[in-house]
Every structure is written in structure tokens, then in C-alpha cells.
Amino acid sequence: MHPEKTNPSLVLLFILIIATSLFLTVTALQAEQHGSNRSASGCIPAERAALLSFRKGIAADFTSRLASWHGGDCCRWRGVRCSNHTGHILELDLGNQNPSTGSVTGCDDVNALFGEISPSLLSLEQLQHLDLSWNCLTERQETIPLFMGLMKSLRYLNLSGIPFSGEVRPQLGNLSELQYLDLGSQDLGYRMYSADITWLQHLPLQYLGMSNVNLSQLDLSDNNFDHEIASSWFWKETSLRHLHLGYNRLFGQFHDALENMTSLQVLDLSFGLNQGLVMEGNFKNLCCPNVHWIHCRSCIWALINITGTFPVLIGRFNALSVLDLSRNNLAGNIPPELSNCTHLNTLDLSYNKIVGPLPPEFRRLTRLITLDLSNNHLSGSVPTGLGAFTNLTCIPVSLCKLNLLSDLDLSNNLLDGQIPRCFDSESSQCIEFLLLSNNSLSGEFPAFLQNCTGLHFLDLAWNNLFGKLPEWIGELTNLQFLRLGHNTFSGNIPAEITNLGYLQYLDLSSNNLSGVIPMHLSSLTAMTLKGYGRTLAYFIGLDLSGNSLTGEIPLDIISLDALINLNLSSNRLTGKIPNKIGALQSLESLDLSENHLS
């Protein structure tokens, strides 16, 4: 007799019943565990006690807003909302929704709560939403309570209309989840202030209200503001001295609002998220002499009018010390009015579409330290007598008077003619970065550079320079970067070039150099792993390709063990390749092609 076969459907049903039973048991245990921290009525006792403590701090409640605050279940009290799952209090909404007509603060309003904000609110560890607006909660403490910076679950905080005084607590910057913050007031005599609100940049804010807070520095950069810039509250803060709005998505015209910022010294609208900004007009009321610093890098149409020409109004900011309008769509000529900004020490107009020569009025910018006009469409010859600032196309001789200039970048333009020779020994010592590559400059190696003993970066590549390299190039002992490739220099490579102990990058490629590679390459200690004080850690190279160099590869080239790129190709080198050249462990690119090596 064969045993009966078990019905597979019955087996599956049996398994399903067991699994369901286990699930219900686990769920019941979890519910029991959650319930151990809650009262039978669903309110967590510790949080209920915290609310009662808060109520004790309320001295007057004329509208009986807290009348429902009794009984065991605090989740049913007016203004309180709890999580259905955990029972924790998530919202406390006690804002005065019906302020009296004519009241400018909560303390002028009979409908307000009067008293203080109790630190017992710290016990509401899961609180995400707190609205105490338009009440009078300054009985014992007139400043924003310090403990509010510890309520780290908050996403919404509204303290507007409470007549606090004193400094805005920078500890509010610890509220890393905060998306909505309103500390504003309608009271023109509001006594809150902040000298520095840089802590705001660390918050993921979507709304910020600070009306009538006395501010001097306001940093709202790197947020997600996405609205018309003219509608922003901060234009009412006419006491602002520093305003940083970079990395946002603001758009539209804002010149009318800016005109009343009579104390403004720094305006930063940098980088490309701020698109479609337009600033034009006469700025009759703007106290331009106060504006010291404008940064609008990558602001599309920022600080220019709709046609994209250079804004003449910049000339009204005659106290500017820093002007950065790089990476915009600026077009046309540089207006002579810019020379009215006689306090400029940094001028960056790079990566635009500026054309034509510099205006002769530039001679007035005698305080310039950094000048970057690279990657434009400047054209013309460099007048004689400009020596030090050869990068400038059609640059007036007056630039020779910029005795404080240390950084000059005129690369990637259409400049031609000879590099002027007007640097005296005193002014030329200031030059540290001189970048004139990718132009059509002609003439011999600039003689004035012999006085530039502080020179760190020199880039004259891709021009039409000719003649011999001077022996005194070895006296520029601070050089770290020397790029002279793609010219027509001739003669030998000066042996003195090995005196440049800080040199990390040397490019003499594609010239007409002849003779042998200098001996004593081991003296270029910055190209060795033991090199001291390297700042170009990933930019160490030696390129002598495309010349007519003869002789053998010096054996001590293997001492340059920090080299990443070594290119000796397209010369007339002979002899054997040094056996230990493979020991250059840092080397990523080696090109010895098109020689006569064996």
C-alpha cells in the first residue's frame, strides 16, 4: 500500500500561516517596545513634561491659545503635531496668526503670548518645525536663546516679530537640517544685528528672512535661491557692507535695488548659476566711493547691460580695490572710465570677448598688483616704454608706472610688437607672475627681466621671440616655472640655467637652440625627490624637444628622479641612452624619438 501524496497547495498554505503568525508576533513586540516609552494615551511623557515646562514660562495668554494644554495626550494639544509612528513631537506651531493692526512687534499685540522661551524645548529631540512668530517672548532674555542652536532636528524656525535685541546667534549655523529661517521684523528700530553671518553658508536654506536686522556682512552663497533677485529681502538692509550671493540661481534686473545700498563695499555674484542678471542705470544714489570689491566671475550678463558691452558705470566705483569680471560675455572695448578706479590693486577681465587696445588713461591705475586680461581679443602693438607690461596690446606707456604690479597675465590674445623696456630695478622686483604666451610678440628675450629677482612664473611661449638666451637667466633664482617653447630662440642653452634650484618645469621646445645639453643637471634640485619646497608637485617636467641639440644625454639626468615628463625628441643627440634612465620612478612620459641614439 503506497502512502498518500501530500497536496503541494496545502503545504504552501501551512507555510504561509506560520510566516504570518511570526510577522504578527514580531510586530506586536516592536509595538510593545515603542509603547514602553509612551503613555497609554500615546504621548511620550518626557516630551509632555517639556511642553508643560514651556507653558509655565508663558506669563500671559489673552487669547487662550494654550487652554487645551491639559490631559494626558499632548499630541492632541493645540499647535502640537506628533508622529503617528513614534509619538515624538514633530511640530510646535504657536505663531500669532492674527496680529493686531498697527503692531510692529509681538510685544505690541494683545493676541500674542507673553513670557519666555523655555530651554525645556531641548527635550523635543525630534522637533522639526518650530513657529513662535509674532509673540512677546523676551521676558528674561532679550537675545535669541543660545540653546536654540542645539535643536539640530529643526528644518523650520520662525522667530519673526519677536523683538529680540543683541547679536544674532552664530550657533544657529549648527542647525544643519534647517531649510526655513525667519528672524525678521517690521520694526525699523529693531535692535538685532550681525557683523558676520558667514555661518549661513553652511545651511541648506530655501528661505531666509532677516528684514530690519542690522547687518554688515551677509554671505548667502552656495544655496538654492531661485527667484528674481530684485524681490530679495536683503535690499532693505542698506547698512550692508559685504554681500555675497555666489553659486545661486538668482536672475533678473537688480540695479534699482542696488542703488540704495549706500554702505556697500563688497559685492560677490560669482559663478555661473547666477544667470540672466542685469545691472544698468545711472546709480545716482549709490555711494560708489564705498564699493571696494566686486566679484562676478562666471556671472552670465552680470554687471553688464543687455548688449554685452563693458559697463561704463564701473567707473563710478572709484574706491574699488578688486574688480573681477572674468569668464563673462563682456564684449567691445574697455571704457576709459575704468581708469577712474584709481584704487584698483586687482583687475581680472580674463576669458571675455574684449577687443581693441587699452585706453591710454590706464596710466592712472598706479596701484595695480594683479592684472589679468588673458583670453580676450585684444590687438595691436605694444608701445615702446611699456616694458614691464608687455602683455598689453596697444598698452599705453603709462602702464610702466604700475610699480606695485606683481601678477600680469595677458596670454591668449592677439598682441604683437616688441615687449616694452620701461621697468626700472625697483618696480621690476615686484613682478612674480608674468604670463604672455599665445600672442604674436616679437623681439629678443626681455632685458628688463634681469631685474625681476622675485620672478616665480615666466611664460613667453608661442610668440615670435628670437635671439640668444642670456647667461643672466641663471640669476633668476626664484623661478619655478619657465616656458619659452615655440619661439625662434637660437644659440646654446646657457649653462647658468642649472643654477635655478627651485625650477620645476622647463620648456625650451620648438626653438632653434643648438649645442649640448648643459652639464650639472643635478643642480636642478626641485626636480628631484629630495627637492625642497616644491609647489608644483604634479607639474614637474623637462622639454627640450624640437631643437638642434647635439652630443650625448648627460648621465646626471638620472638624478632628476621627480620628473613626470621628459622630452628630448627631434634633436641630433648621439651616444647611448643612460642605463639607469629607467630608474626614474616618477616618470610618466618619456620621448627620445627622432635622434641618433644607440
Side-chain angles (χ1 to χ4, degrees), residues 141 143-149 166-174 183 192-194 199:
Q141 186 174 10
T143 59
I144 296 176
L146 187 61
F147 70 80
M148 302 202 79
E167 185 178 13
V168 176
R169 299 289 193 181
Q171 287 80 5
L172 294 177
N174 296 328
L183 305 176
M192 266 214 300
Y193 70 92
S194 178
W199 50 268

Side-chain angles (χ1 to χ4, degrees), residues 105-375:
T105 72
C107 293
D108 301 328
D109 193 345
V110 70
N111 295 322
L113 297 175
F114 290 78
E116 61 178 343
I117 303 176
S118 171
S120 64
L121 293 182
L122 284 175
S123 297
L124 308 181
E125 296 180 356
Q126 303 298 319
L127 190 65
Q128 300 177 5
H129 181 111
L130 178 60
D131 186 349
L132 301 175
S133 60
W134 287 94
N135 288 299
C136 186
L137 302 176
T138 57
E139 184 175 293
R140 295 187 181 181
Q141 186 174 10
E142 294 188 351
T143 59
I144 296 176
L146 187 61
F147 70 80
M148 302 202 79
L150 301 174
M151 304 179 71
K152 296 187 177 181
S153 295
L154 281 179
R155 298 180 182 179
Y156 179 104
L157 178 59
N158 190 348
L159 303 178
S160 62
I162 304 176
F164 289 121
S165 61
E167 185 178 13
V168 176
R169 299 289 193 181
Q171 287 80 5
L172 294 177
N174 296 328
L175 306 180
S176 58
E177 302 294 327
L178 201 61
Q179 299 177 18
Y180 184 105
L181 175 62
D182 194 346
L183 305 176
S185 172
Q186 295 181 8
D187 185 5
L188 298 178
Y190 208 29
R191 294 170 294 170
M192 266 214 300
Y193 70 92
S194 178
D196 184 1
I197 310 189
T198 55
W199 50 268
L200 282 170
Q201 63 186 322
H202 305 301
L203 302 180
L205 290 174
Q206 297 181 10
Y207 177 85
L208 176 64
M210 299 280 283
S211 59
N212 291 320
V213 178
N214 188 5
L215 305 175
S216 59
Q217 296 188 33
L218 180 59
D219 190 341
L220 300 177
S221 57
D222 200 11
N223 278 288
N224 293 312
F225 298 125
D226 185 4
H227 56 77
E228 288 195 47
I229 190 171
S231 65
S232 302
W233 60 269
F234 45 74
W235 299 121
K236 298 178 182 178
E237 304 301 324
T238 55
S239 62
L240 272 177
R241 296 197 300 270
H242 294 226
L243 179 57
H244 300 268
L245 301 173
Y247 290 99
N248 281 289
R249 300 181 184 276
L250 301 168
F251 59 88
Q253 299 183 359
F254 67 107
H255 42 276
D256 290 338
L258 180 63
E259 192 172 64
N260 294 319
M261 305 294 287
T262 55
S263 299
L264 195 63
Q265 296 177 4
V266 172
L267 175 61
D268 183 357
L269 297 167
S270 56
F271 291 94
L273 296 181
N274 285 326
Q275 298 188 10
L277 293 176
V278 179
M279 187 179 85
E280 56 188 0
N282 295 321
F283 293 88
K284 297 177 181 178
N285 300 324
L286 184 62
C287 193
C288 295
N290 287 332
V291 182
H292 294 167
W293 197 92
I294 295 180
H295 183 191
C296 288
R297 177 173 293 179
S298 295
C299 296
I300 299 178
W301 299 115
L303 288 182
I304 58 177
N305 61 33
I306 200 65
T307 63
T309 57
F310 199 100
V312 174
L313 64 91
I314 287 295
R316 291 178 53 83
F317 298 89
N318 52 28
L320 270 177
S321 59
V322 175
L323 177 60
D324 184 350
L325 297 178
S326 60
R327 299 180 185 274
N328 283 285
N329 290 321
L330 289 171
N333 295 74
I334 298 176
E337 288 82 358
L338 181 60
S339 63
N340 294 333
C341 304
T342 54
H343 290 81
L344 275 176
N345 60 58
T346 298
L347 176 60
D348 189 350
L349 304 178
S350 61
Y351 291 92
N352 282 289
K353 300 176 182 178
I354 300 172
V355 299
L358 290 180
E361 290 84 359
F362 251 55
R363 67 181 180 274
R364 299 173 59 187
L365 303 181
T366 57
R367 300 188 182 185
L368 272 180
I369 296 175
T370 298
L371 175 61
D372 190 347
L373 303 176
S374 62
N375 293 281

Side-chain angles (χ1 to χ4, degrees), residues 59-75:
D61 176 14
F62 297 113
T63 58
S64 301
R65 230 181 305 165
L66 304 183
S68 65
W69 283 33
H70 59 81
D73 190 0
C74 62
C75 295

Side-chain angles (χ1 to χ4, degrees), residues 33 74 87 93 142 152 246 255 298 335 380 392 414 463-464 542 568:
Q33 184 177 4
C74 62
D93 188 352
E142 294 188 351
K152 296 187 177 181
H255 42 276
S298 295
L392 304 174
L414 302 173
N463 280 290
N464 298 318
L542 176 61
L568 304 178

